[in-house]
Amino acid sequence: MSSSAAAVAQAFAPARLTMARELAGLRKRELAGLIGRTAAAVSQYELGQSRPSAATLTRCAEALDMPVGFFGVGRPQLRLDTTQAHFRSLRATTAVRRQQALAHVELLWEITDRLDQVIELPPVDLGLPLGIPHGDASRTAQTVRKAWELGTGPVVHLVRNLEARGIVVTRIPAVDAATIDAFSSALHGRPTIALSDKGNPMRRRFSVAHELGHLLLHPDPAPGSPTHERQANAFAAEFLMPAAEVRPLLPTPVSVPALKEIADGYGVSAAALLYRGKDLGVYGESTVRRTMATLTALGWRTDEPVGSDHPGEQPALLRRAVELATEHGLSLARLAADVHIGLPRLRELVGIPNPRPRLRLVH
C-alpha cells in the first residue's frame, strides 16, 4: 500500500468520491460491491461521517479509474445539481445519467479554471448580457444575429462562433446518448453547453442553438419546463432559420427534395425546416403529418443524410487552449497532475485524440 494513499486518506475530500462515482455512472450500492464495502459505508464516506482506510481508498481509485490523489482536499471544486442546468426532460433520462453528465461539466470546469491561469480564454460576450430575461425568443434571436454581424443566410460555424465568444462547448463521453441531446449551465461564470452524440450533425446544431436560447432567455433553469423548451426552440428556429428569409423559400406544395436542399443550405434537418414552415403558417397539420411519414419511411428521422456544407462541427476551444498552454510551459502531463486525473481522461475531456490504441486481452 502506497504512502500517498495513506496521506490522502487522512486528507480525504468526501465530495471527490461523490464526483468520481458519478463520473463512472455508478450508484452507491454498485461502488460498494466493487470495493467490498456496504452501501451505507459509501454513504458515510460521501457525507463525511467517516473516512475510508488507505486500502479502501485504493480500491475506490481502481474501481473509478482515478488516481488516489484525486480524492484529496485542497482544490476548488464546482458542484452542480439538476436544478442548476437546462435539461430538456427529467423523465427521459435517469438521475444517474444526469449526474454523470453534470460531473463531466464539473471536472471540465476545473480544467478550464487551471487553463485560465496560464492563458487568457475569450471573455464571455454573446451580444446580450447573461443573467437577465430578454423577453421574446424570436426578437432575442434577431438581436443576437445582429450583434454577431451575421447578416443574411445560414449561420456558418455555430460552435466556433460560440467558442469565440467565451462559451465552452463540450462533448459528453460515456453518457447514454439515447436519453440526452444536450444541456447547458451558466452557474460557474463561464457558460458551458454539453452535447451528446445523439442524432446527426444537423440535429446537434439545432441543439446548440437551443441551449444558447436557454442561456439568454432563462437565467433560472427549470429543467423539463414545457414553456422554457418552447421558448428555446423558438429562439433556435429564428436564429438558424430567420422567418423573413426562409418563408419565401419554402416549397409549396411541399416537396421533400426541395425541402432537403433548403435545409442543407441552412444547416438544419428537413424535419426542422418542415416544422418551421408549420410555425410560419406555410404548412398545415395534414401536410406536416404526411411529409413526416415520408421522412420516417426514408429513415431520415434518425439517420438523415448530411449536406456537404455542414459535415459536423467539433468543439476546439479547449483543445487549442491546451496546445497554447503547452507552448507556455504547462504540459499535458502537468495539467493532468494538477487536476489529479489520468492523461487519457484529460485527452477525452478536452477533445484530443489518444495517440495510443487501448488494447485488451481477450480470454
Side-chain angles (χ1 to χ4, degrees):
M1 187 186 308
S2 69
S3 58
S4 62
V8 174
Q10 288 299 311
F12 172 68
R16 289 289 172 187
L17 179 58
T18 302
M19 185 181 187
R21 176 179 59 77
E22 290 172 347
L23 276 168
L26 296 177
R27 294 174 174 82
K28 292 176 184 177
R29 67 174 182 274
E30 293 169 332
L31 175 59
L34 292 173
I35 64 173
R37 305 292 289 169
T38 64
V42 172
S43 291
Q44 290 173 348
Y45 300 153
E46 294 189 8
L47 291 171
Q49 295 173 346
S50 65
R51 285 200 304 258
S53 67
T56 298
L57 195 60
T58 300
R59 288 196 293 272
C60 287
E62 293 171 351
L64 300 173
D65 193 24
M66 284 291 192
V68 169
F70 181 82
F71 302 99
V73 297
R75 309 187 313 282
Q77 181 180 353
L78 174 73
R79 287 298 291 163
L80 289 173
D81 63 40
T82 299
T83 64
Q84 297 162 328
H86 300 285
F87 278 102
R88 300 195 186 176
S89 172
L90 298 183
R91 295 190 300 272
T93 184
T94 65
V96 169
R97 290 306 184 200
R98 288 196 302 272
Q99 288 305 136
Q100 185 181 27
L102 289 170
H104 167 85
V105 173
E106 292 169 357
L107 186 53
L108 197 67
W109 174 84
E110 295 185 41
I111 295 168
T112 304
D113 182 66
R114 181 69 184 92
L115 288 170
D116 236 343
Q117 298 170 22
V118 179
I119 61 172
E120 187 175 353
L121 295 174
V124 178
D125 180 11
L126 294 175
L128 285 173
L130 294 174
I132 62 172
H134 290 292
D136 181 78
S138 293
R139 283 199 298 271
T140 301
Q142 293 162 8
T143 300
V144 174
R145 282 184 65 102
K146 185 176 181 180
W148 290 17
E149 299 180 347
L150 294 177
T152 59
V155 179
V156 181
H157 300 304
L158 175 57
V159 169
R160 189 181 303 173
N161 266 294
L162 280 168
E163 292 184 321
R165 290 167 172 81
I167 305 299
V168 171
V169 182
T170 182
R171 303 294 287 273
I172 315 168
V175 172
D176 187 357
T179 57
I180 297 178
D181 278 280
F183 71 95
S184 57
S185 176
L187 177 70
H188 51 290
R190 186 174 292 279
T192 298
I193 294 175
L195 297 171
S196 75
D197 286 326
K198 185 176 180 180
N200 68 17
M202 304 298 96
R203 178 168 179 164
R204 290 195 288 272
R205 268 174 56 87
F206 195 92
S207 291
V208 172
H210 177 101
E211 297 306 323
L212 174 60
H214 276 313
L215 292 172
L216 288 167
L217 297 168
H218 308 131
D220 298 314
S225 162
T227 299
H228 279 199
E229 291 306 301
R230 282 194 299 270
Q231 291 171 344
N233 279 334
F235 174 93
E238 178 63 24
F239 189 74
L240 295 175
M241 300 169 282
E245 293 181 31
V246 302
R247 185 186 279 111
L249 300 177
L250 292 168
T252 52
V254 70
S255 158
V256 169
L259 198 70
K260 173 63 174 169
E261 183 179 359
I262 298 165
D264 281 351
Y266 277 86
V268 297
S269 67
L273 185 61
L274 177 69
Y275 279 112
R276 183 64 166 150
K278 175 178 177 291
D279 293 339
L280 296 176
V282 177
Y283 302 136
E285 290 281 358
S286 60
T287 297
V288 171
R289 282 198 302 272
R290 188 168 58 252
T291 309
M292 286 303 296
T294 301
L295 296 178
T296 301
L298 290 169
W300 289 11
R301 296 291 300 275
T302 56
D303 191 23
E304 179 177 343
V306 176
S308 59
D309 290 341
H310 298 279
E313 302 181 27
Q314 300 296 328
L317 175 63
L318 293 183
R319 175 174 53 79
R320 291 172 181 166
V322 166
E323 292 169 354
L324 186 58
T326 299
E327 295 173 8
H328 289 77
L330 181 62
S331 69
L332 206 60
R334 180 70 260 168
L335 178 58
D338 286 348
V339 293
H340 295 273
I341 60 176
L343 265 175
R345 189 184 293 270
L346 176 61
R347 288 179 179 276
E348 184 180 44
L349 282 162
V350 300
I352 298 175
N354 195 330
R356 296 181 180 178
R358 300 185 74 171
L359 303 179
R360 208 173 41 156
L361 182 64
V362 178
H363 296 285

